Amino acid sequence: MRLDKYLKVSRIIKRRTVANEVCDAGKAVVNGKAARASYDVKPGDVIELNFESRAVKFRVEKVVETIRKEDVSTMYTPL
């Protein structure tokens, strides 16, 4: 699954276009390297998002196309 879609499905970022803009601005880092929106997310990847006010870091636990809102917390683990 693409990085921008993963961020939207996991509800880390509300809209896919915003997730795409974050990636294009170079604010998304996967496993220590800057990642584009087209990066293929795999379980075990460590994603760090650097927003202006704070940084968010988490590990990908599973990748699914659709998920219920109640089960989103099983997709990643905050670090």
Side-chain angles (χ1 to χ4, degrees), residues 19-45:
N20 200 333
E21 291 170 2
V22 167
C23 295
D24 289 345
K27 296 179 181 179
V29 178
V30 179
N31 298 328
K33 297 178 184 175
R36 299 182 60 165
S38 61
Y39 176 81
D40 188 30
V41 176
K42 299 170 285 304
D45 285 344

Side-chain angles (χ1 to χ4, degrees), residues 6-23:
Y6 180 83
L7 293 172
K8 193 254 185 231
V9 170
S10 63
R11 292 175 172 83
I12 295 169
I13 297 179
K14 289 187 178 186
R15 293 178 201 84
R16 188 168 176 182
T17 55
V18 175
N20 200 333
E21 291 170 2
V22 167
C23 295

Side-chain angles (χ1 to χ4, degrees), residues 65-76:
E65 292 291 325
T66 58
I67 193 165
R68 294 183 3 210
K69 184 168 55 172
E70 296 82 22
D71 299 331
V72 167
S73 62
T74 62
M75 288 186 71
Y76 61 90

Side-chain angles (χ1 to χ4, degrees), residues 3 6-7 29-30 41 45-49 56-58 60:
L3 177 58
Y6 180 83
L7 293 172
V29 178
V30 179
V41 176
D45 285 344
V46 175
I47 300 174
E48 184 175 355
L49 301 175
V56 179
K57 191 172 184 178
F58 54 92
V60 176

